[in-house]
Amino acid sequence: MDEEQMREAADEKLINDAFQRLLDNYLASRHRKKVDIITKAFNFARQAHKGVRRLSGEPYIMHPIAVAQIACEEVGLGSTSICAALLHDVVEDTDYTTEDIENMFGPKIAQIVDGLTKISGGIFGEQASAQAENFKKLLLTMSDDIRVILIKICDRLHNMRTLESQPANKQYKIAGETLYIYAPLANRLGLYKVKSELENLSFRYEHPEEYASIKSKLASTEASRHELFDQFTNPIEEALKEMGIKYQIKERVKTPYSIWSKMQNKHVTFDEIYDILAVRIIFTPDKREEEINECFNIYVAISKIYKSHPDRLRDWLSHPKANGYQALHVTLMSKQGRWIEVQIRSDRMDEIAEQGFAAHWKYKEGEDAEYSEDENELNEWLRTIKEILDDPQPDAMDFLDAIKLNLFASEIFVFTPKGEIKTMPTGCTALDFAFSIHTFLGSHCIGAKVNHKLVPLSHKLQSGDQVEILTSKSQHIQPSWINFVSTAKAKAKIQAILRRNNREQQKQGEEMFHQFLQKNGIEDSLNAADQLAEFHEVRNREYFFQALAEKTILLGEKDVDELQGKNKSNKGGWRKLVPFLGRGKDSKRRLEDKSQEFFVVTKDFNRKKPIYISDENINQYKFKHCCHPIPGDDILGFIDGKRQIEIHKRDCPIAAKLKASFGNRILDAKWDMQKKLHFDAVIRLEGIDRVGMLLDISKIISSQMNVNIHKLTIASNDGVFDGTVEMRVFDRENVQEIMDKLKTVDGLQEVMQIM
């Protein structure tokens, strides 16, 4: 047997074993056993993808089998979904059409495959508007059959699990898109396990060092966690046995991504995170209708053993989350003096918590009990999507933001004056609530009564608030309102009304612009307006025209030069470089060196290779002030509209949007600095004031670390002080060393980097 035949035989075995595993899993599920149609779909897909390999080198058919395996085993879907998963790339990658699929497998499978084909290619293509259109398609297909999005999430999970074979710039694009869109989608559909894995895999590729560091710390503290778990749960187990409850107790450990997020958001170290461990009690009730009462009975029993935290009781039993999640969460004080969260749920609740909407099918008669319309929360969600889609032509980035704001937020429950419950996103205001009821109510809102107390429009609502909206016919929408609404509906309505009001101004500004071009003998075109909009750093030409009418932008010689290409291509560069490079001698010298212009990406530029930023070429890149990267930060490059390269931190919120919207323009970027240049960094300090505190702080920074303090601001109030230190450092390591040293100062409670 020659080498080629041996390879074919090995591939054959690999494929057959993977398919057999899928069948075994399917046969062990509660679904009707439609093995024939699954086998038919497998054979058809295998033939269609014959001879094709993935980047990793394995036969392509292994990908559809893996997606079907995830759909079956991890999401709990049945034969229709498994067939659609096996066939999901056939229409896109081969000569077969949706009609062929329909003739062989029927309309339902064909409809799902068609939905998956429409939203392939990682959601997004070349242009931002095309991306928004594709995302609309993705969301619209969900209203036909929720299984389209469930299988798409399974497809993304397998792509993330096999991301290693992709080049780094592709890894950042796919990981960024996953964190921005797919993980929140999975969460919204209640796929908790899938959501956690997507977040962790994205984290692993975007911040490999931090990921490895947290993994090793979790491994080193594992033994002490097990010990704490055993000591804590022993008396609970005895109480549950006495009650005669069928139960199991599981240990839940926070994921590396959620630990890292908490470290970033709360500015704490790994050792300062106390809720790494949680306990889950899962019981099987004798009667389904008794499960809610049983949860409370268990709560009463365990709160006799340990003291519970009064503010941390979370009841999602009577009002489940919008993704179907039900449980009772209580935080108890262990004998070791640690607060530990206990989650109490029935086996049915546990299954829905892990598998979300997909688990609902398990409690209907057989699977392909076709998708029914009784999922009220899901229908609510789809209605919200349609409201967003009704807004005329939102900007692609705004569109993604609106989706994020509305669909992926966690919910609060608010009551109307008549006592009806309305679900609203967390962080919403009285004005959001007004618009959620009626546009007229929102447009004329002057304030609200929350729990019978008068509050302003911007008042943030809490779960359980009762809200009455106050209106006046003389009230009209103000531009500032956009700053204190968070729901997509309110933002869309305010923007639509403001747009209507702004159209007149924009027409006036456009007229002024045409006259300016005419006067200077420049050809009239929309490209000229776009060019000057970018030159003045306004968002688009509509904003540019409005600014002309409002006289916040005045056109002059510099604009003529810009349109005739006489300005240096590094215009505006000094503005961006000053906050980045600081204001020392070396930065002034570099700013005077006009010969070094921004690097421009050409057609033959290899986007798969990393770019290296060195002391010599640093001026060729744009450092945006949104995230202030310094050497040592995990960074990426982004090719902007002028084909110049912006540098962002990988976890910068602007970069998150860029990864999700313009994935093909993302580049891998690395530092190659020799500690010659200084960069600005700002550290925030908080602590208990005492004599000599300032001296101790400046001693560490200036004498021990030999770092130049640029500015020091400290304010003391009632014995507590807070302040900032602006200093000039070489890199991130430098900053970390200073922070570690400052943490040893007596009385300093909080040390965090803010820039």
mmCIF file of all heavy atoms in Angstrom, residues 622-661:
data_model
loop_
_atom_site.group_PDB
_atom_site.id
_atom_site.type_symbol
_atom_site.label_atom_id
_atom_site.label_comp_id
_atom_site.label_asym_id
_atom_site.label_seq_id
_atom_site.Cartn_x
_atom_site.Cartn_y
_atom_site.Cartn_z
ATOM 1 N N LYS A 622 -0.443 55.289 13.231
ATOM 2 C CA LYS A 622 -1.332 56.201 13.956
ATOM 3 C C LYS A 622 -1.681 55.582 15.303
ATOM 4 O O LYS A 622 -2.202 54.462 15.344
ATOM 5 C CB LYS A 622 -2.634 56.401 13.167
ATOM 6 C CG LYS A 622 -2.488 57.120 11.850
ATOM 7 C CD LYS A 622 -3.870 57.209 11.180
ATOM 8 C CE LYS A 622 -3.818 58.085 9.944
ATOM 9 N NZ LYS A 622 -5.122 58.160 9.278
ATOM 10 N N PHE A 623 -1.407 56.296 16.374
ATOM 11 C CA PHE A 623 -1.767 55.822 17.714
ATOM 12 C C PHE A 623 -3.002 56.584 18.164
ATOM 13 O O PHE A 623 -2.944 57.778 18.437
ATOM 14 C CB PHE A 623 -0.601 56.010 18.681
ATOM 15 C CG PHE A 623 0.477 55.008 18.455
ATOM 16 C CD1 PHE A 623 1.441 55.220 17.484
ATOM 17 C CD2 PHE A 623 0.494 53.827 19.163
ATOM 18 C CE1 PHE A 623 2.422 54.286 17.234
ATOM 19 C CE2 PHE A 623 1.477 52.876 18.928
ATOM 20 C CZ PHE A 623 2.441 53.101 17.964
ATOM 21 N N LYS A 624 -4.141 55.890 18.206
ATOM 22 C CA LYS A 624 -5.404 56.547 18.512
ATOM 23 C C LYS A 624 -5.518 56.785 20.018
ATOM 24 O O LYS A 624 -5.045 55.981 20.820
ATOM 25 C CB LYS A 624 -6.585 55.695 18.029
ATOM 26 C CG LYS A 624 -6.492 55.297 16.569
ATOM 27 C CD LYS A 624 -6.501 56.479 15.633
ATOM 28 C CE LYS A 624 -7.893 56.960 15.355
ATOM 29 N NZ LYS A 624 -7.927 58.027 14.357
ATOM 30 N N HIS A 625 -6.171 57.918 20.380
ATOM 31 C CA HIS A 625 -6.252 58.270 21.800
ATOM 32 C C HIS A 625 -7.323 57.472 22.542
ATOM 33 O O HIS A 625 -7.501 57.633 23.735
ATOM 34 C CB HIS A 625 -6.509 59.769 21.957
ATOM 35 C CG HIS A 625 -7.611 60.263 21.081
ATOM 36 N ND1 HIS A 625 -8.926 59.987 21.342
ATOM 37 C CD2 HIS A 625 -7.578 60.971 19.919
ATOM 38 C CE1 HIS A 625 -9.679 60.524 20.372
ATOM 39 N NE2 HIS A 625 -8.880 61.123 19.508
ATOM 40 N N CYS A 626 -8.082 56.581 21.818
ATOM 41 C CA CYS A 626 -9.160 55.842 22.493
ATOM 42 C C CYS A 626 -8.617 54.857 23.529
ATOM 43 O O CYS A 626 -9.284 54.554 24.510
ATOM 44 C CB CYS A 626 -10.019 55.094 21.479
ATOM 45 S SG CYS A 626 -9.062 54.093 20.322
ATOM 46 N N CYS A 627 -7.403 54.317 23.301
ATOM 47 C CA CYS A 627 -6.924 53.308 24.267
ATOM 48 C C CYS A 627 -5.470 53.494 24.690
ATOM 49 O O CYS A 627 -4.982 52.775 25.550
ATOM 50 C CB CYS A 627 -7.123 51.906 23.697
ATOM 51 S SG CYS A 627 -6.289 51.660 22.103
ATOM 52 N N HIS A 628 -4.755 54.443 24.058
ATOM 53 C CA HIS A 628 -3.424 54.826 24.531
ATOM 54 C C HIS A 628 -2.481 53.628 24.709
ATOM 55 O O HIS A 628 -2.020 53.346 25.819
ATOM 56 C CB HIS A 628 -3.605 55.548 25.871
ATOM 57 C CG HIS A 628 -2.398 56.334 26.279
ATOM 58 N ND1 HIS A 628 -2.104 57.561 25.759
ATOM 59 C CD2 HIS A 628 -1.416 56.054 27.161
ATOM 60 C CE1 HIS A 628 -0.983 57.998 26.313
ATOM 61 N NE2 HIS A 628 -0.562 57.099 27.165
ATOM 62 N N PRO A 629 -2.187 52.859 23.626
ATOM 63 C CA PRO A 629 -1.300 51.696 23.811
ATOM 64 C C PRO A 629 0.146 52.110 24.056
ATOM 65 O O PRO A 629 0.611 53.103 23.497
ATOM 66 C CB PRO A 629 -1.427 50.948 22.483
ATOM 67 C CG PRO A 629 -1.901 51.959 21.507
ATOM 68 C CD PRO A 629 -2.600 53.048 22.250
ATOM 69 N N ILE A 630 0.838 51.370 24.909
ATOM 70 C CA ILE A 630 2.274 51.596 25.117
ATOM 71 C C ILE A 630 2.982 50.249 24.993
ATOM 72 O O ILE A 630 2.344 49.197 25.118
ATOM 73 C CB ILE A 630 2.582 52.289 26.478
ATOM 74 C CG1 ILE A 630 2.300 51.367 27.661
ATOM 75 C CG2 ILE A 630 1.823 53.590 26.628
ATOM 76 C CD1 ILE A 630 2.767 51.934 28.988
ATOM 77 N N PRO A 631 4.303 50.232 24.728
ATOM 78 C CA PRO A 631 5.011 48.960 24.539
ATOM 79 C C PRO A 631 4.726 47.974 25.676
ATOM 80 O O PRO A 631 4.701 48.347 26.842
ATOM 81 C CB PRO A 631 6.484 49.384 24.519
ATOM 82 C CG PRO A 631 6.446 50.768 23.963
ATOM 83 C CD PRO A 631 5.204 51.384 24.514
ATOM 84 N N GLY A 632 4.467 46.719 25.290
ATOM 85 C CA GLY A 632 4.120 45.697 26.277
ATOM 86 C C GLY A 632 2.638 45.377 26.251
ATOM 87 O O GLY A 632 2.217 44.303 26.664
ATOM 88 N N ASP A 633 1.802 46.315 25.755
ATOM 89 C CA ASP A 633 0.365 46.032 25.621
ATOM 90 C C ASP A 633 0.143 45.053 24.472
ATOM 91 O O ASP A 633 0.862 45.097 23.470
ATOM 92 C CB ASP A 633 -0.413 47.324 25.287
ATOM 93 C CG ASP A 633 -0.585 48.217 26.501
ATOM 94 O OD1 ASP A 633 -0.667 47.678 27.616
ATOM 95 O OD2 ASP A 633 -0.637 49.453 26.329
ATOM 96 N N ASP A 634 -0.879 44.186 24.602
ATOM 97 C CA ASP A 634 -1.296 43.353 23.470
ATOM 98 C C ASP A 634 -1.971 44.281 22.474
ATOM 99 O O ASP A 634 -2.955 44.945 22.816
ATOM 100 C CB ASP A 634 -2.303 42.281 23.925
ATOM 101 C CG ASP A 634 -1.622 41.205 24.765
ATOM 102 O OD1 ASP A 634 -0.393 41.080 24.659
ATOM 103 O OD2 ASP A 634 -2.314 40.505 25.520
ATOM 104 N N ILE A 635 -1.462 44.320 21.233
ATOM 105 C CA ILE A 635 -1.988 45.295 20.264
ATOM 106 C C ILE A 635 -2.347 44.622 18.944
ATOM 107 O O ILE A 635 -1.985 43.467 18.697
ATOM 108 C CB ILE A 635 -0.958 46.430 19.988
ATOM 109 C CG1 ILE A 635 0.409 45.820 19.618
ATOM 110 C CG2 ILE A 635 -0.870 47.396 21.134
ATOM 111 C CD1 ILE A 635 1.402 46.810 19.055
ATOM 112 N N LEU A 636 -3.054 45.385 18.099
ATOM 113 C CA LEU A 636 -3.311 44.953 16.727
ATOM 114 C C LEU A 636 -3.275 46.183 15.835
ATOM 115 O O LEU A 636 -3.347 47.318 16.308
ATOM 116 C CB LEU A 636 -4.646 44.221 16.612
ATOM 117 C CG LEU A 636 -5.913 44.862 17.166
ATOM 118 C CD1 LEU A 636 -6.428 45.949 16.257
ATOM 119 C CD2 LEU A 636 -6.994 43.817 17.326
ATOM 120 N N GLY A 637 -3.183 45.957 14.528
ATOM 121 C CA GLY A 637 -3.215 47.056 13.565
ATOM 122 C C GLY A 637 -4.550 47.055 12.841
ATOM 123 O O GLY A 637 -5.190 46.009 12.707
ATOM 124 N N PHE A 638 -4.971 48.238 12.384
ATOM 125 C CA PHE A 638 -6.206 48.340 11.611
ATOM 126 C C PHE A 638 -5.938 49.263 10.421
ATOM 127 O O PHE A 638 -5.444 50.381 10.597
ATOM 128 C CB PHE A 638 -7.332 48.895 12.479
ATOM 129 C CG PHE A 638 -8.559 49.270 11.686
ATOM 130 C CD1 PHE A 638 -9.348 48.285 11.117
ATOM 131 C CD2 PHE A 638 -8.907 50.606 11.481
ATOM 132 C CE1 PHE A 638 -10.474 48.621 10.358
ATOM 133 C CE2 PHE A 638 -10.023 50.950 10.727
ATOM 134 C CZ PHE A 638 -10.810 49.947 10.164
ATOM 135 N N ILE A 639 -6.256 48.789 9.203
ATOM 136 C CA ILE A 639 -6.036 49.609 7.998
ATOM 137 C C ILE A 639 -7.241 50.535 7.837
ATOM 138 O O ILE A 639 -8.362 50.071 7.636
ATOM 139 C CB ILE A 639 -5.877 48.709 6.753
ATOM 140 C CG1 ILE A 639 -4.716 47.726 6.972
ATOM 141 C CG2 ILE A 639 -5.650 49.545 5.511
ATOM 142 C CD1 ILE A 639 -4.636 46.605 5.960
ATOM 143 N N ASP A 640 -7.002 51.850 7.980
ATOM 144 C CA ASP A 640 -8.130 52.794 7.947
ATOM 145 C C ASP A 640 -8.504 53.155 6.501
ATOM 146 O O ASP A 640 -7.960 52.596 5.538
ATOM 147 C CB ASP A 640 -7.830 54.042 8.785
ATOM 148 C CG ASP A 640 -6.728 54.917 8.175
ATOM 149 O OD1 ASP A 640 -6.330 54.665 7.020
ATOM 150 O OD2 ASP A 640 -6.271 55.858 8.847
ATOM 151 N N GLY A 641 -9.431 54.105 6.346
ATOM 152 C CA GLY A 641 -9.945 54.488 5.026
ATOM 153 C C GLY A 641 -8.882 55.051 4.110
ATOM 154 O O GLY A 641 -9.017 55.020 2.882
ATOM 155 N N LYS A 642 -7.775 55.584 4.688
ATOM 156 C CA LYS A 642 -6.700 56.150 3.856
ATOM 157 C C LYS A 642 -5.590 55.131 3.618
ATOM 158 O O LYS A 642 -4.490 55.480 3.223
ATOM 159 C CB LYS A 642 -6.120 57.387 4.547
ATOM 160 C CG LYS A 642 -7.081 58.564 4.573
ATOM 161 C CD LYS A 642 -6.353 59.787 5.069
ATOM 162 C CE LYS A 642 -7.100 61.050 4.689
ATOM 163 N NZ LYS A 642 -6.357 62.248 5.051
ATOM 164 N N ARG A 643 -5.860 53.857 3.979
ATOM 165 C CA ARG A 643 -4.904 52.745 3.872
ATOM 166 C C ARG A 643 -3.679 52.958 4.767
ATOM 167 O O ARG A 643 -2.597 52.459 4.496
ATOM 168 C CB ARG A 643 -4.495 52.496 2.415
ATOM 169 C CG ARG A 643 -5.656 52.181 1.496
ATOM 170 C CD ARG A 643 -5.240 51.399 0.274
ATOM 171 N NE ARG A 643 -4.095 51.956 -0.426
ATOM 172 C CZ ARG A 643 -4.153 52.948 -1.290
ATOM 173 N NH1 ARG A 643 -5.313 53.508 -1.560
ATOM 174 N NH2 ARG A 643 -3.081 53.400 -1.892
ATOM 175 N N GLN A 644 -3.859 53.771 5.834
ATOM 176 C CA GLN A 644 -2.802 53.922 6.843
ATOM 177 C C GLN A 644 -3.148 53.026 8.027
ATOM 178 O O GLN A 644 -4.288 52.569 8.153
ATOM 179 C CB GLN A 644 -2.709 55.392 7.266
ATOM 180 C CG GLN A 644 -2.211 56.271 6.121
ATOM 181 C CD GLN A 644 -2.494 57.741 6.322
ATOM 182 O OE1 GLN A 644 -3.191 58.126 7.256
ATOM 183 N NE2 GLN A 644 -1.989 58.584 5.439
ATOM 184 N N ILE A 645 -2.159 52.771 8.888
ATOM 185 C CA ILE A 645 -2.380 51.760 9.933
ATOM 186 C C ILE A 645 -2.550 52.415 11.303
ATOM 187 O O ILE A 645 -1.663 53.143 11.776
ATOM 188 C CB ILE A 645 -1.220 50.732 9.947
ATOM 189 C CG1 ILE A 645 -1.172 49.990 8.603
ATOM 190 C CG2 ILE A 645 -1.399 49.737 11.097
ATOM 191 C CD1 ILE A 645 0.009 49.054 8.439
ATOM 192 N N GLU A 646 -3.698 52.154 11.917
ATOM 193 C CA GLU A 646 -3.940 52.589 13.299
ATOM 194 C C GLU A 646 -3.507 51.453 14.235
ATOM 195 O O GLU A 646 -3.682 50.283 13.908
ATOM 196 C CB GLU A 646 -5.446 52.804 13.538
ATOM 197 C CG GLU A 646 -6.066 53.910 12.736
ATOM 198 C CD GLU A 646 -7.579 53.993 12.987
ATOM 199 O OE1 GLU A 646 -8.097 53.244 13.836
ATOM 200 O OE2 GLU A 646 -8.233 54.806 12.322
ATOM 201 N N ILE A 647 -3.002 51.824 15.405
ATOM 202 C CA ILE A 647 -2.628 50.818 16.410
ATOM 203 C C ILE A 647 -3.591 50.941 17.593
ATOM 204 O O ILE A 647 -3.817 52.032 18.113
ATOM 205 C CB ILE A 647 -1.170 51.014 16.893
ATOM 206 C CG1 ILE A 647 -0.193 50.983 15.697
ATOM 207 C CG2 ILE A 647 -0.788 49.970 17.933
ATOM 208 C CD1 ILE A 647 -0.139 49.668 14.948
ATOM 209 N N HIS A 648 -4.180 49.812 17.993
ATOM 210 C CA HIS A 648 -5.101 49.778 19.141
ATOM 211 C C HIS A 648 -4.699 48.664 20.091
ATOM 212 O O HIS A 648 -4.106 47.661 19.664
ATOM 213 C CB HIS A 648 -6.538 49.466 18.686
ATOM 214 C CG HIS A 648 -7.173 50.551 17.883
ATOM 215 N ND1 HIS A 648 -7.931 51.542 18.452
ATOM 216 C CD2 HIS A 648 -7.173 50.793 16.546
ATOM 217 C CE1 HIS A 648 -8.379 52.340 17.497
ATOM 218 N NE2 HIS A 648 -7.926 51.912 16.330
ATOM 219 N N LYS A 649 -5.064 48.820 21.368
ATOM 220 C CA LYS A 649 -4.979 47.676 22.277
ATOM 221 C C LYS A 649 -5.996 46.646 21.803
ATOM 222 O O LYS A 649 -7.063 47.014 21.320
ATOM 223 C CB LYS A 649 -5.341 48.091 23.711
ATOM 224 C CG LYS A 649 -4.280 48.895 24.422
ATOM 225 C CD LYS A 649 -4.721 49.083 25.859
ATOM 226 C CE LYS A 649 -3.837 50.073 26.601
ATOM 227 N NZ LYS A 649 -4.311 50.327 27.957
ATOM 228 N N ARG A 650 -5.684 45.351 22.009
ATOM 229 C CA ARG A 650 -6.615 44.314 21.545
ATOM 230 C C ARG A 650 -7.926 44.339 22.311
ATOM 231 O O ARG A 650 -8.953 43.900 21.819
ATOM 232 C CB ARG A 650 -5.981 42.928 21.668
ATOM 233 C CG ARG A 650 -5.064 42.624 20.501
ATOM 234 C CD ARG A 650 -4.481 41.228 20.615
ATOM 235 N NE ARG A 650 -3.060 41.254 20.344
ATOM 236 C CZ ARG A 650 -2.201 40.339 20.759
ATOM 237 N NH1 ARG A 650 -2.618 39.334 21.488
ATOM 238 N NH2 ARG A 650 -0.922 40.434 20.456
ATOM 239 N N ASP A 651 -7.903 44.855 23.560
ATOM 240 C CA ASP A 651 -9.165 44.881 24.320
ATOM 241 C C ASP A 651 -9.804 46.271 24.318
ATOM 242 O O ASP A 651 -10.684 46.563 25.111
ATOM 243 C CB ASP A 651 -8.947 44.387 25.756
ATOM 244 C CG ASP A 651 -7.860 45.167 26.484
ATOM 245 O OD1 ASP A 651 -7.256 46.063 25.859
ATOM 246 O OD2 ASP A 651 -7.600 44.876 27.663
ATOM 247 N N CYS A 652 -9.356 47.140 23.392
ATOM 248 C CA CYS A 652 -9.946 48.481 23.282
ATOM 249 C C CYS A 652 -11.380 48.350 22.749
ATOM 250 O O CYS A 652 -11.611 47.589 21.812
ATOM 251 C CB CYS A 652 -9.086 49.305 22.314
ATOM 252 S SG CYS A 652 -9.913 50.730 21.601
ATOM 253 N N PRO A 653 -12.349 49.080 23.346
ATOM 254 C CA PRO A 653 -13.735 48.941 22.879
ATOM 255 C C PRO A 653 -13.918 49.336 21.406
ATOM 256 O O PRO A 653 -14.722 48.759 20.703
ATOM 257 C CB PRO A 653 -14.534 49.874 23.795
ATOM 258 C CG PRO A 653 -13.552 50.630 24.614
ATOM 259 C CD PRO A 653 -12.226 49.957 24.510
ATOM 260 N N ILE A 654 -13.125 50.313 20.941
ATOM 261 C CA ILE A 654 -13.217 50.694 19.520
ATOM 262 C C ILE A 654 -12.705 49.536 18.657
ATOM 263 O O ILE A 654 -13.302 49.171 17.653
ATOM 264 C CB ILE A 654 -12.384 51.977 19.228
ATOM 265 C CG1 ILE A 654 -12.850 53.151 20.099
ATOM 266 C CG2 ILE A 654 -12.423 52.335 17.744
ATOM 267 C CD1 ILE A 654 -14.243 53.654 19.835
ATOM 268 N N ALA A 655 -11.591 48.916 19.093
ATOM 269 C CA ALA A 655 -11.031 47.783 18.334
ATOM 270 C C ALA A 655 -12.019 46.628 18.293
ATOM 271 O O ALA A 655 -12.105 45.912 17.295
ATOM 272 C CB ALA A 655 -9.710 47.332 18.962
ATOM 273 N N ALA A 656 -12.809 46.452 19.356
ATOM 274 C CA ALA A 656 -13.804 45.360 19.390
ATOM 275 C C ALA A 656 -14.788 45.537 18.245
ATOM 276 O O ALA A 656 -15.129 44.598 17.545
ATOM 277 C CB ALA A 656 -14.538 45.358 20.733
ATOM 278 N N LYS A 657 -15.218 46.793 18.031
ATOM 279 C CA LYS A 657 -16.152 47.053 16.938
ATOM 280 C C LYS A 657 -15.465 46.842 15.584
ATOM 281 O O LYS A 657 -16.053 46.308 14.660
ATOM 282 C CB LYS A 657 -16.651 48.499 17.009
ATOM 283 C CG LYS A 657 -17.638 48.750 18.111
ATOM 284 C CD LYS A 657 -18.253 50.108 17.884
ATOM 285 C CE LYS A 657 -18.590 50.757 19.211
ATOM 286 N NZ LYS A 657 -19.039 52.121 19.036
ATOM 287 N N LEU A 658 -14.203 47.295 15.485
ATOM 288 C CA LEU A 658 -13.476 47.163 14.214
ATOM 289 C C LEU A 658 -13.307 45.690 13.845
ATOM 290 O O LEU A 658 -13.472 45.315 12.690
ATOM 291 C CB LEU A 658 -12.102 47.842 14.309
ATOM 292 C CG LEU A 658 -12.123 49.358 14.552
ATOM 293 C CD1 LEU A 658 -10.705 49.880 14.760
ATOM 294 C CD2 LEU A 658 -12.790 50.099 13.408
ATOM 295 N N LYS A 659 -12.994 44.846 14.851
ATOM 296 C CA LYS A 659 -12.806 43.415 14.587
ATOM 297 C C LYS A 659 -14.097 42.807 14.072
ATOM 298 O O LYS A 659 -14.094 41.957 13.188
ATOM 299 C CB LYS A 659 -12.350 42.691 15.859
ATOM 300 C CG LYS A 659 -10.884 42.908 16.160
ATOM 301 C CD LYS A 659 -10.445 42.217 17.422
ATOM 302 C CE LYS A 659 -10.885 42.923 18.665
ATOM 303 N NZ LYS A 659 -10.206 42.500 19.880
ATOM 304 N N ALA A 660 -15.221 43.238 14.652
ATOM 305 C CA ALA A 660 -16.506 42.661 14.259
ATOM 306 C C ALA A 660 -17.003 43.228 12.938
ATOM 307 O O ALA A 660 -17.740 42.575 12.231
ATOM 308 C CB ALA A 660 -17.534 42.916 15.355
ATOM 309 N N SER A 661 -16.597 44.456 12.602
ATOM 310 C CA SER A 661 -17.164 45.104 11.417
ATOM 311 C C SER A 661 -16.230 45.101 10.207
ATOM 312 O O SER A 661 -16.679 45.078 9.087
ATOM 313 C CB SER A 661 -17.515 46.557 11.746
ATOM 314 O OG SER A 661 -18.485 46.608 12.742
#
